[in-house]
Amino acid sequence: MVTAQRQESSQSGRFDIENVSVSYGSEKALQGVSFCIEPRRVTALIGPSGCGKSTLLRCFNRMNDAIDNVEVEGLIALNGEDINAKAVDAVSLRMYVGQVFQRPNPFPLSIYDNVAFGPRTQGVRKRDELDEIVIDSLKKAALYEEVKNSMKKHAFELSGGQQQRLCIARALATRPGVLLMDEPCSALDPISTGMIEETVQQLKEIMTIVMVTHNMQQAARISDTTAFLLRESIEEPAELIEICDTNTMFTQPSDIRTENYITGRFG
């Protein structure tokens, strides 16, 4: 099982994507995407609105399964295993491939219970074990010092930036090997954004991170690899135009369309 392969090796958290296409009914949204997501690195997905970034991101933990009339073709292998195989349980997959969304979405529970939610569903019941997981996850999300004396506080009482870091902690509590982030800073102020970016830089030491962002500066600051997707017309599906080391992408892109997007000539 995918979830059995945690982080025993440096290759845990590796995705191999081969000829992946996604259709919504008769409309093909994404076509022929092939690349590798290296483990323990930050990979940024960039491109104009509607170019399939979030659609592709949802493929990595099968969140597209929850959308009616969606068909995913091609191979997506995580740690060498096809995540769309019938033997792979989608719920278990999502424990290993956590996700943080564009807007903070804490559960209507206390800070503690938000973070403990995932481990409890995994069968953890002992209070001391839960305490250890909650504290460790909050520390990794750079939130512990701010909430350590108010664990019973309702999550909705936190600021927007704190709520987003709580959502990161909640995702980390299931001990994932991969963290997907769909524009996690778009609704946050610059200080909160900086704290999340610092957290991401620390987390990549222990897991793979894939982030959708419209912020070119953010992609340049925190990602190791950048992938540029583009839908050239409404009649055509989006495609992967270029993927490479982030520094190369932002200084010497190989495709003129990438250069035009990065320099703000369109998008």
Side-chain angles (χ1 to χ4, degrees), residues 70-104:
V70 173
E71 181 180 4
V72 179
E73 302 173 278
L75 175 67
I76 301 173
L78 172 58
N79 301 335
E81 183 176 358
D82 180 1
I83 68 170
N84 291 302
K86 291 182 179 180
V88 175
D89 176 68
V91 175
S92 297
L93 172 67
R94 290 168 196 150
M95 292 288 183
Y96 184 80
V97 184
Q99 184 162 358
V100 176
F101 298 91
Q102 183 173 2
R103 293 189 177 276

Side-chain angles (χ1 to χ4, degrees), residues 169-190:
R170 187 179 66 197
L172 297 178
T174 61
R175 300 292 195 266
V178 181
L179 185 62
L180 309 179
M181 309 185 85
D182 195 351
E183 296 192 68
C185 303
S186 64
L188 303 182
D189 62 87

